[in-house]
Coordinates of all heavy atoms in Angstrom, one line a residue:
T1 N 7.0 7.5 -0.8 CA 6.8 8.5 -1.8 C 5.4 8.4 -2.4 O 4.7 9.5 -2.6 CB 7.9 8.5 -2.9 OG1 9.2 8.6 -2.3 CG2 7.7 9.6 -3.9
A2 N 4.9 7.2 -2.7 CA 3.6 7.0 -3.3 C 2.5 7.5 -2.4 O 1.4 7.9 -2.9 CB 3.4 5.6 -3.7
A3 N 2.7 7.5 -1.1 CA 1.7 7.9 -0.2 C 1.3 9.4 -0.4 O 0.1 9.8 0.0 CB 2.2 7.7 1.3
G4 N 2.1 10.2 -1.0 CA 1.8 11.6 -1.2 C 1.1 11.8 -2.6 O 0.9 13.0 -2.9
A5 N 0.8 10.8 -3.3 CA 0.2 11.0 -4.7 C -1.2 11.5 -4.6 O -1.9 11.4 -3.5 CB 0.3 9.6 -5.4
D6 N -1.7 12.0 -5.7 CA -3.1 12.5 -5.7 C -4.1 11.4 -5.6 O -5.2 11.5 -5.1 CB -3.3 13.3 -7.0 CG -2.5 14.6 -7.0 OD1 -2.8 15.5 -6.2 OD2 -1.5 14.6 -7.8
A7 N -3.6 10.2 -6.2 CA -4.5 9.0 -6.1 C -3.6 7.7 -6.2 O -2.6 7.7 -6.9 CB -5.5 9.0 -7.3
L8 N -4.1 6.7 -5.4 CA -3.5 5.4 -5.5 C -4.5 4.4 -6.0 O -5.7 4.5 -5.7 CB -3.0 5.0 -4.1 CG -1.9 5.7 -3.4 CD1 -1.6 5.1 -2.1 CD2 -0.6 5.7 -4.3
V9 N -4.1 3.5 -6.8 CA -5.0 2.5 -7.3 C -4.4 1.1 -6.9 O -3.3 0.7 -7.4 CB -5.1 2.5 -8.9 CG1 -6.1 1.4 -9.4 CG2 -5.6 3.9 -9.3
F10 N -5.1 0.4 -6.0 CA -4.7 -0.9 -5.6 C -5.4 -1.9 -6.6 O -6.6 -2.0 -6.7 CB -5.2 -1.2 -4.2 CG -4.3 -0.5 -3.1 CD1 -4.6 0.8 -2.7 CD2 -3.3 -1.2 -2.5 CE1 -3.8 1.4 -1.8 CE2 -2.5 -0.6 -1.6 CZ -2.7 0.7 -1.2
A11 N -4.5 -2.7 -7.2 CA -5.0 -3.7 -8.2 C -5.6 -4.9 -7.7 O -6.4 -5.6 -8.4 CB -3.9 -4.0 -9.2
S12 N -5.3 -5.3 -6.4 CA -5.7 -6.6 -5.9 C -5.5 -6.7 -4.4 O -4.8 -5.8 -3.9 CB -4.9 -7.7 -6.6 OG -3.6 -7.6 -6.2
P13 N -6.1 -7.6 -3.8 CA -5.8 -7.8 -2.3 C -4.4 -8.1 -2.1 O -3.8 -7.8 -1.0 CB -6.7 -9.1 -2.0 CG -7.8 -9.0 -2.9 CD -7.2 -8.5 -4.2
N14 N -3.7 -8.8 -3.0 CA -2.3 -9.0 -2.9 C -1.5 -7.8 -2.9 O -0.4 -7.7 -2.2 CB -1.8 -9.9 -4.0 CG -2.3 -11.3 -4.0 OD1 -2.2 -12.0 -3.0 ND2 -3.0 -11.8 -5.1
A15 N -1.9 -6.7 -3.6 CA -1.2 -5.5 -3.6 C -1.4 -4.8 -2.2 O -0.5 -4.2 -1.7 CB -1.8 -4.5 -4.7
V16 N -2.6 -4.9 -1.6 CA -2.8 -4.4 -0.3 C -1.9 -5.1 0.7 O -1.3 -4.5 1.6 CB -4.3 -4.6 0.1 CG1 -4.6 -4.1 1.5 CG2 -5.2 -3.9 -0.9
H17 N -1.9 -6.4 0.7 CA -1.0 -7.2 1.6 C 0.4 -6.8 1.4 O 1.1 -6.6 2.4 CB -1.2 -8.7 1.3 CG -0.1 -9.5 1.9 ND1 -0.1 -9.8 3.2 CD2 1.0 -10.1 1.3 CE1 1.0 -10.6 3.5 NE2 1.7 -10.7 2.4
G18 N 0.9 -6.7 0.2 CA 2.3 -6.3 -0.1 C 2.6 -4.9 0.5 O 3.7 -4.7 1.0
C19 N 1.7 -4.0 0.3 CA 2.0 -2.6 0.8 C 2.1 -2.6 2.3 O 3.1 -2.0 2.8 CB 0.8 -1.7 0.3 SG 0.9 0.0 0.9
Y20 N 1.1 -3.2 3.0 CA 1.1 -3.1 4.4 C 2.1 -4.1 5.1 O 2.5 -3.9 6.3 CB -0.3 -3.3 5.0 CG -1.1 -2.0 4.7 CD1 -1.9 -1.9 3.5 CD2 -1.2 -1.0 5.6 CE1 -2.6 -0.8 3.3 CE2 -1.9 0.2 5.4 CZ -2.7 0.3 4.2 OH -3.4 1.4 4.0
R21 N 2.6 -5.0 4.4 CA 3.6 -5.9 4.9 C 4.9 -5.1 5.0 O 5.7 -5.2 6.0 CB 3.8 -7.1 3.9 CG 5.0 -8.0 4.2 CD 5.1 -9.1 3.2 NE 5.5 -8.6 1.9 CZ 6.8 -8.6 1.5 NH1 7.7 -9.0 2.2 NH2 7.0 -8.1 0.3
L22 N 5.1 -4.2 4.0 CA 6.4 -3.4 4.0 C 6.2 -2.2 4.9 O 7.2 -1.8 5.6 CB 6.7 -3.0 2.6 CG 7.1 -4.1 1.6 CD1 7.1 -3.6 0.2 CD2 8.5 -4.6 2.0
L23 N 5.1 -1.6 4.9 CA 4.8 -0.3 5.7 C 3.5 -0.5 6.5 O 2.4 -0.1 6.0 CB 4.8 0.9 4.8 CG 6.1 1.3 4.1 CD1 5.8 2.6 3.2 CD2 7.2 1.6 5.1
P24 N 3.5 -1.1 7.6 CA 2.3 -1.4 8.4 C 1.5 -0.1 8.7 O 0.3 -0.2 8.9 CB 2.8 -2.0 9.7 CG 4.1 -2.7 9.3 CD 4.7 -1.7 8.3
R25 N 2.1 1.0 8.8 CA 1.4 2.3 9.1 C 1.2 3.2 7.9 O 1.0 4.4 8.0 CB 2.2 3.1 10.2 CG 2.3 2.3 11.5 CD 3.0 3.1 12.6 NE 3.0 2.4 13.8 CZ 3.6 2.9 15.0 NH1 4.1 4.2 15.0 NH2 3.6 2.2 16.1
F26 N 1.2 2.5 6.7 CA 1.1 3.3 5.5 C -0.3 4.0 5.5 O -1.3 3.5 5.8 CB 1.1 2.3 4.3 CG 0.9 3.0 2.9 CD1 2.0 3.5 2.3 CD2 -0.3 3.0 2.3 CE1 1.9 4.1 1.0 CE2 -0.5 3.6 1.1 CZ 0.7 4.2 0.4

């Protein structure tokens, strides 16, 4: 659902890792 937002703010490299760990094609 977040993928459709007007803007995403990634707080850290750990957030990037966590996101793509769950959804590799995010």
Side-chain angles (χ1 to χ4, degrees):
T1 302
D6 296 288
L8 296 179
V9 180
F10 283 85
S12 67
N14 292 306
V16 179
H17 164 77
C19 175
Y20 286 91
R21 176 180 67 96
L22 292 167
L23 294 179
R25 297 185 179 182
F26 180 84

